[in-house]
Amino acid sequence: AQKVTQAQTEISVVEKEDVTLDCVYETRDTTYYLFWYKQPPSGELVFLIRRNSFDEQNEISGRYSWNFQKSTSSFNFTITASQVVDSAVYFCALSGTSSNTGKLIFGQGTTLQVKP
Amino acid sequence: DAGVIQSPRHEVTEMGQEVTLRCKPISGHDYLFWYRQTMMRGLELLIYFNNNVPIDDSGMPEDRFSAKMPNASFSTLKIQPSEPRDSAVYFCASSLGGLRYEQYFGPGTRLTVT
């Protein structure tokens, strides 16, 4: 069975601090896809990044960076110099490639609060 | 470009009533997904369509739930009869290419069944 675990339920930081959101996944597929989504207080889900299992290069997009490590089945997300606008719930998600694992499975989410 | 459009944004209804949620996917996207979000169960995939055909409805909680996609630009999720435990936020999402690719979500419909 596929599973995504976001062990941090809530994180609170002060603006300008760096923060890392953890994501650990389980799958038996050799090919799979990992995603991060952001859900701000307004409620919509916003796509942030997609990564396939064969690409372990870290990715940086502005203040956001992602660290994918197959050896530890982790896909962590770091926000550098956090801002109040980063306050949101962040979801890690996994999609396998076989017929019974192809659904997108979401973690329970990490609520990030950035205080001014 | 318009994103995924959902209506209504909020729905309050009494137990036993029929509820219909509507979704217009992003033009050109060939996959459409319906999700439900609750505090207890998080985000759950209910059903998804490919080229208007239902592919997997194993997430639909029970026979009271049904979904249709009569054409590429419109889908409905119907609950009949509604129950208080159906109260949740229902999201529609669409993607180009399926489950391996990013999905774009609508703003959601917050359903309250009293």
Side-chain angles (χ1 to χ4, degrees):
Chain A
Q2 299 199 126
K3 187 177 179 182
V4 175
T5 301
Q6 294 181 256
Q8 305 150 307
T9 305
E10 293 185 16
I11 301 176
S12 181
V13 300
V14 177
E15 207 170 20
K16 298 184 183 177
E17 285 186 23
D18 298 348
V19 58
T20 295
L21 310 181
D22 297 334
C23 172
V24 174
Y25 62 91
E26 296 175 28
T27 181
R28 292 183 179 178
D29 289 348
T30 54
T31 302
Y32 51 89
Y33 300 85
L34 295 161
F35 305 81
W36 276 94
Y37 285 84
K38 174 183 180 180
Q39 187 173 37
S42 51
E44 74 277 18
L45 279 144
V46 179
F47 165 74
L48 296 178
I49 189 171
R50 167 184 176 267
R51 176 68 60 183
N52 74 57
S53 54
F54 295 106
D55 183 0
E56 287 194 71
Q57 279 196 335
N58 291 334
E59 179 147 344
I60 298 174
S61 176
R63 297 183 297 107
Y64 294 173
S65 62
W66 290 269
N67 184 308
F68 175 32
Q69 292 195 342
K70 287 180 76 171
S71 61
T72 56
S73 297
S74 65
F75 186 41
N76 297 336
F77 173 31
T78 297
I79 301 174
T80 303
S82 59
Q83 299 177 2
V84 173
V85 292
D86 296 326
S87 297
V89 182
Y90 290 87
F91 291 95
C92 181
L94 165 70
S95 176
T97 50
S98 61
S99 60
N100 60 346
T101 64
K103 298 177 189 179
L104 192 61
I105 303 298
F106 285 85
Q108 286 300 102
T110 297
T111 299
L112 174 64
Q113 183 181 32
V114 181
K115 298 178 181 177
Chain B
D1 288 341
V4 175
I5 298 171
Q6 290 186 249
S7 65
R9 294 293 307 277
H10 302 273
E11 177 80 37
V12 180
T13 191
E14 291 184 349
M15 183 174 64
Q17 296 297 306
E18 177 180 296
V19 175
T20 299
L21 311 182
R22 297 173 176 80
C23 175
K24 177 179 170 56
I26 293 173
S27 177
H29 281 190
D30 55 349
Y31 280 78
L32 183 139
F33 308 84
W34 283 101
Y35 289 88
R36 178 172 67 175
Q37 185 178 34
T38 61
M39 289 295 293
M40 290 297 294
R41 301 176 67 89
L43 272 159
E44 303 173 278
L45 177 65
L46 300 177
I47 185 172
Y48 75 94
F49 296 82
N50 175 215
N51 291 324
N52 314 338
V53 176
I55 302 300
D56 187 338
D57 65 353
S58 59
M60 297 285 260
E62 47 197 279
D63 292 344
R64 298 184 297 106
F65 286 69
S66 62
K68 294 182 180 179
M69 192 165 185
N71 58 61
S73 58
F74 184 64
S75 177
T76 60
L77 177 68
K78 186 176 294 186
I79 308 172
Q80 165 63 18
S82 58
E83 296 182 3
R85 59 193 168 121
D86 302 330
S87 298
V89 180
Y90 291 81
F91 288 100
C92 176
S94 69
S95 77
L96 185 61
L99 292 155
R100 307 176 187 188
Y101 298 93
E102 56 269 28
Q103 297 177 22
Y104 294 90
F105 285 75
T109 295
R110 181 172 296 276
L111 173 65
T112 303
V113 184
T114 61

